[in-house]
Amino acid sequence: MIILGRILVFIGLIAILHAGYSAVQCRTYYKLLEEEFTSLPIDIYIQCLLGMLLGCIGVVLVAGEFKEIRAAAEMASKSWESLGNRPSFYTFNHRGRAMFSNIPQSGSW
């Protein structure tokens, strides 16, 4: 699935780039003919939308499984004692070590 997703992202990107190049060519063509530029042809719009759609589908396939947004779904598997435990907030290297380095350690009084 990941390889298919990457291929879809690549094809979508190429389609969007080609649509942009075609838009620039169309505008240059109208300038050469000295006509007023009103809007792009419909096929450029379609190509841009299809490229965006393929790119979005490819990104979803590459991203893998999504987690639920609700916090209750993730917390349901944890016990009540571990709810207050936040290991990501543990810091052992902080300025307190430098501030209190001259205080003797316990047992050396």
Side-chain angles (χ1 to χ4, degrees):
M1 281 299 211
I2 292 176
I3 294 174
L4 176 66
R6 288 182 181 179
I7 290 171
L8 287 177
V9 169
F10 181 73
I11 292 172
L13 182 65
I14 294 298
I16 290 173
L17 289 174
H18 186 268
Y21 183 74
S22 297
V24 170
Q25 273 190 331
C26 180
R27 179 119 186 189
T28 305
Y29 178 73
Y30 281 135
K31 279 185 182 180
L32 285 174
L33 293 179
E34 296 177 354
E35 291 181 14
E36 184 178 337
F37 179 77
T38 55
S39 68
L40 291 173
I42 193 72
D43 63 331
I44 295 176
Y45 287 118
I46 292 172
Q47 184 178 8
C48 190
L49 288 174
L50 285 177
M52 186 180 71
L53 181 68
L54 285 175
C56 288
I57 292 171
V59 166
V60 168
L61 289 176
V62 169
E65 289 195 27
F66 293 117
K67 283 187 171 181
E68 255 189 84
I69 294 175
R70 295 182 300 136
E74 188 173 326
M75 295 303 217
S77 64
K78 295 186 178 185
S79 68
W80 179 254
E81 291 83 24
S82 68
L83 287 178
N85 188 12
R86 294 187 178 104
S88 60
F89 288 108
Y90 292 168
T91 55
F92 299 106
N93 251 346
H94 52 78
R95 62 179 170 226
R97 181 181 294 168
M99 287 173 49
F100 301 109
S101 63
N102 57 356
I103 297 176
Q105 300 295 321
S106 64
S108 62
W109 293 63

